[in-house]
């Protein structure tokens, strides 16, 4: 079983999800957006595609033309019902591929906080995330695509997660983020953190407080989702 993970930043990788995938027998093939893209056949045929996060916007197609190909690839894959997971930017690209609007929310949501699960979310693979802080790091959001089911929200971002059929899951937040590896995020997003007025030492300390809870919840969530795939 082959998982293609599409990266937009080197340090935004599969994180806590990687050991779960490998233990379940998946091989992981990382691709760099704009450098080593997926071919159209790979979008259609890969056993699993995970589209990871990044600092650009799903609507930045004029600045980053390769996003056109990502959205088109996701559109073809989702139409076929192939297993697809989107994280942050990946979730926004999935929403765009499904015809929903992606836009700046008006504020930055950065830091550790739990999501509120909807009734559907409580009955879904996201159940292990209940009351567990996850990493938020975004300013954009999306409308709920037609045919999608809302799974999670926060006060600042009502659309935090959705499923689309059995095999597609989009998460605005970062359950894969390892709090023990937060330093590359603090370095790589230094300009964004400064512009948003985020207290970097406080975010570092908050990350250190998380302990093993994110790993346990993220692992349980991903195992549950992999187990439900058709």
């Amino acid at each position: 079983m082959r998982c293609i993970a599409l990266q937009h930043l080197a340090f935004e990788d599969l994180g806590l999800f990687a050991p779960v995938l490998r233990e379940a027998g998946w091989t992981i093939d990382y691709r760099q957006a704009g450098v080593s893209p997926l071919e159209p056949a790979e979008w259609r045929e890969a056993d699993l595609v995970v589209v990871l996060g990044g600092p650009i916007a799903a609507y930045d197609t004029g600045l980053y033309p390769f996003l056109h190909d990502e959205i088109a690839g996701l559109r073809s894959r989702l139409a076929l019902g192939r297993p697809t997971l989107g994280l942050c930017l990946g979730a926004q690209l999935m929403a765009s591929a499904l015809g929903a609007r992606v836009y700046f929310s008006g504020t930055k949501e950065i830091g550790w906080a739990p999501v509120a699960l909807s009734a559907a979310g409580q009955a879904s693979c996201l159940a292990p995330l209940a009351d567990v802080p996850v990493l938020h790091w975004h300013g954009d959001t999306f409308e709920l695509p037609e045919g999608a089911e809302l799974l999670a929200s926060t006060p600042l971002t009502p659309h935090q997660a959705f499923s689309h059929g059995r095999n597609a899951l989009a998460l605005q937040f970062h359950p894969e983020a390892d709090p023990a590896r937060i330093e590359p995020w603090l370095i790589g997003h230094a300009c964004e953190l400064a512009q948003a007025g985020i207290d970097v030492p406080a975010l570092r300390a908050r990350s250190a407080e998380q302990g093993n809870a994110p790993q346990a919840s993220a692992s349980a969530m991903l195992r549950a989702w992999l187990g439900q795939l058709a």
Side-chain angles (χ1 to χ4, degrees):
M1 298 182 294
R2 180 180 174 220
C3 167
I4 299 179
L6 183 59
Q7 289 182 291
H8 300 88
L9 280 178
F11 61 81
E12 290 201 31
D13 55 19
L14 287 166
L16 297 172
F17 285 171
V20 177
L21 287 165
R22 293 192 176 104
E23 288 167 10
W26 293 82
T27 60
I28 297 172
D29 176 8
Y30 278 108
R31 300 293 187 85
Q32 299 296 322
V35 179
S36 54
L38 279 69
E39 297 297 330
E42 291 179 304
W43 280 110
R44 296 190 301 269
E45 298 168 9
D47 299 305
L48 171 62
V49 170
V50 183
V51 183
L52 296 162
I56 61 178
Y59 46 81
D60 278 343
T61 51
L63 297 173
Y64 304 97
F66 63 81
L67 290 172
H68 284 296
D69 295 331
E70 290 190 29
I71 292 169
L74 281 167
R75 186 179 296 117
S76 66
R77 184 171 182 84
L78 293 168
L80 293 170
R82 302 291 287 158
T84 309
L85 175 61
L87 300 169
C88 199
L89 172 59
Q92 296 160 12
L93 290 166
M94 286 176 66
S96 181
L98 291 167
R101 183 170 71 103
V102 181
Y103 58 97
F104 179 54
S105 67
T107 188
K108 293 283 187 177
E109 187 171 23
I110 299 175
W112 293 89
V115 292
L117 300 180
S118 66
Q122 293 171 23
S124 77
C125 62
L126 298 192
L129 301 182
D131 302 320
V132 178
V134 292
L135 183 64
H136 301 269
W137 205 300
H138 66 96
D140 286 345
T141 188
F142 47 78
E143 294 177 347
L144 193 65
E146 184 176 353
E149 190 166 38
L150 180 65
L151 302 179
S153 303
T154 58
L156 284 178
T157 310
H159 297 158
Q160 279 279 2
F162 68 83
S163 59
H164 191 269
R166 188 172 178 178
N167 289 348
L169 180 64
L171 307 177
Q172 177 64 72
F173 52 94
H174 289 277
E176 86 289 357
D178 184 349
R181 294 174 56 213
I182 196 65
E183 204 63 29
W185 293 66
L186 303 180
I187 299 168
H189 293 304
C191 292
E192 180 182 17
L193 291 170
Q195 290 169 356
I198 301 297
D199 185 329
V200 172
L203 181 52
R204 181 184 293 116
R206 177 71 171 142
S207 300
E209 293 170 0
Q210 300 309 309
N212 295 325
Q215 181 175 3
S217 60
S219 298
M221 187 225 88
L222 184 60
R223 289 191 187 99
W225 185 66
L226 293 173
Q228 77 177 35
L229 295 178

